[in-house]
């Protein structure tokens, strides 16, 4: 994917979408050691965006509608310098991380990852953003949480965090490692479009999830299943693609 080229993104509602997609749409772009970038994508089913991201990567792009429901996340992509023309474009506005995000070094299927966040203005929203998957989100007040990675081995992902003032951070890019434990995958396999899914987290000191209470033994974090397909028409492999 070449910097300054125009990326044509088409939002195609699934016939079984529940609830109905609610524009306007947003794209959230994640890159290691940066604040997640929010791009307003308008209300139509087609959005053309000059690719103003910095050269490098890997990037992940996630789509949301105005109600917070998600169309999922792209595959990882890199941005290359344009060596064939003199085209120029404005900077996208990516900023370095403005929160302190600590993520454990081991990321295995159904494994537990300790996450710590500090700085900014809590409560925080932590997301597991993974290729070709709906993001999973949890809100907590402060301190730390232990997160069970309920995704299959081999998927590439980031952890991201934001606060109430728009500060944020993105973890190192990682691949979910193999494990014989498959117990966390059974819930996701029984989902129907539009139904809430649960990602189990265990609150640490001072933590409270969006659906739990401070001090509870087990809390759950809701996320919405994939109900809008993202179609990125460019030289990039992603959810539905053509050049």
């Amino acid at each position: 994917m070449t910097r300054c080229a125009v990326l044509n993104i088409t939002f195609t509602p699934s016939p079984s979408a529940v609830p109905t997609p609610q524009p306007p749409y947003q794209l959230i772009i994640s890159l290691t050691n940066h604040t997640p970038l929010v791009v307003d994508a308008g209300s139509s089913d087609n959005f053309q965006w000059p690719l103003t991201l910095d050269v490098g990567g890997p990037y992940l792009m996630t789509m949301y509608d105005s109600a917070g429901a998600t169309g999922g996340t792209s595959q990882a992509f890199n941005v290359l310098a344009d060596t064939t023309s003199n085209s120029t474009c404005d900077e996208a506005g990516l900023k370095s991380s403005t929160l302190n995000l600590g993520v454990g070094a081991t990321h295995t299927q159904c494994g537990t990852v300790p996450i710590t966040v500090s700085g900014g203005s809590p409560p925080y929203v932590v997301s597991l953003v993974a290729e070709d998957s709906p993001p999973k989100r949890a809100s907590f007040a402060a301190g730390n949480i232990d997160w069970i990675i309920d995704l299959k081995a081999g998927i590439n992902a980031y952890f991201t965090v934001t606060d109430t003032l728009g500060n944020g951070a993105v973890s190192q890019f990682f691949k979910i490692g193999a494990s014989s434990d498959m117990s966390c995958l059974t819930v996701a396999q029984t989902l129907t479009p539009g139904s809430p899914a649960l990602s189990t987290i265990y609150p640490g000191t001072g933590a409270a999830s969006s659906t739990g209470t401070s001090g509870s033994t087990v809390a759950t974090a809701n996320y919405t299943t994939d109900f809008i397909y993202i179609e990125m028409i460019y030289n990039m492999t992603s959810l539905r693609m053509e050049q």
Side-chain angles (χ1 to χ4, degrees):
M1 187 176 290
T2 305
R3 190 175 188 278
C4 295
V6 175
L7 187 64
N8 190 45
I9 302 172
T10 302
F11 306 113
T12 307
S14 168
S16 57
V18 179
T20 302
Q22 299 294 320
Y25 305 116
Q26 283 188 333
L27 301 173
I28 310 295
I29 299 170
S30 302
L31 176 67
T32 296
N33 295 330
H34 287 76
T35 298
L37 177 67
V38 179
V39 178
D40 292 326
S43 297
S44 71
D45 59 1
N46 184 267
F47 177 60
Q48 293 186 330
W49 183 50
L51 193 62
T52 56
L53 299 173
D54 296 339
V55 172
Y59 291 93
L60 287 177
M61 180 183 294
T62 305
M63 173 266 179
Y64 291 97
D65 75 354
S66 61
T70 179
T73 301
S74 70
Q75 290 188 355
F77 63 92
N78 293 305
V79 175
L80 306 177
D82 181 4
T83 59
T84 62
S85 69
N86 295 319
S87 60
T88 59
C89 52
D90 295 334
E91 296 293 331
L94 272 171
K95 299 186 299 184
S96 297
S97 296
T98 50
L99 293 175
N100 301 310
L101 172 62
V103 177
T106 303
H107 320 98
T108 57
Q109 173 182 295
C110 296
T112 300
V113 180
I115 297 175
T116 60
V117 184
S118 63
S121 178
Y124 306 110
V125 175
V126 175
S127 301
L128 175 57
V129 180
E131 289 183 307
D132 291 333
S133 304
K136 306 190 178 190
R137 311 172 85 180
S139 176
F140 70 104
N144 62 283
I145 56 176
D146 290 336
W147 190 298
I148 294 177
I149 300 182
D150 50 347
L151 291 171
K152 292 181 179 180
I155 297 175
N156 294 310
Y158 282 124
F159 276 106
T160 72
V161 62
T162 55
D163 71 359
T164 59
L165 298 179
N167 296 305
V170 178
S171 73
Q172 296 295 312
F173 196 57
F174 62 90
K175 177 175 287 189
I176 298 173
S179 167
S180 59
D181 185 354
M182 300 183 65
S183 60
C184 70
L185 304 178
T186 55
V187 173
Q189 292 170 351
T190 62
L191 293 177
T192 57
S195 65
L198 300 177
S199 180
T200 304
I201 59 172
Y202 295 83
T205 305
S209 82
S210 56
T211 57
T213 57
S214 181
S216 60
T217 304
V218 177
T220 55
N222 286 323
Y223 74 93
T224 305
T225 56
D226 187 355
F227 77 99
I228 299 175
Y229 303 116
I230 304 179
E231 186 175 49
M232 301 177 191
I233 305 173
Y234 193 73
N235 185 21
M236 169 177 126
T237 29
S238 186
L239 312 177
R240 293 192 175 182
M241 180 78 36
E242 59 185 63
Q243 188 170 355

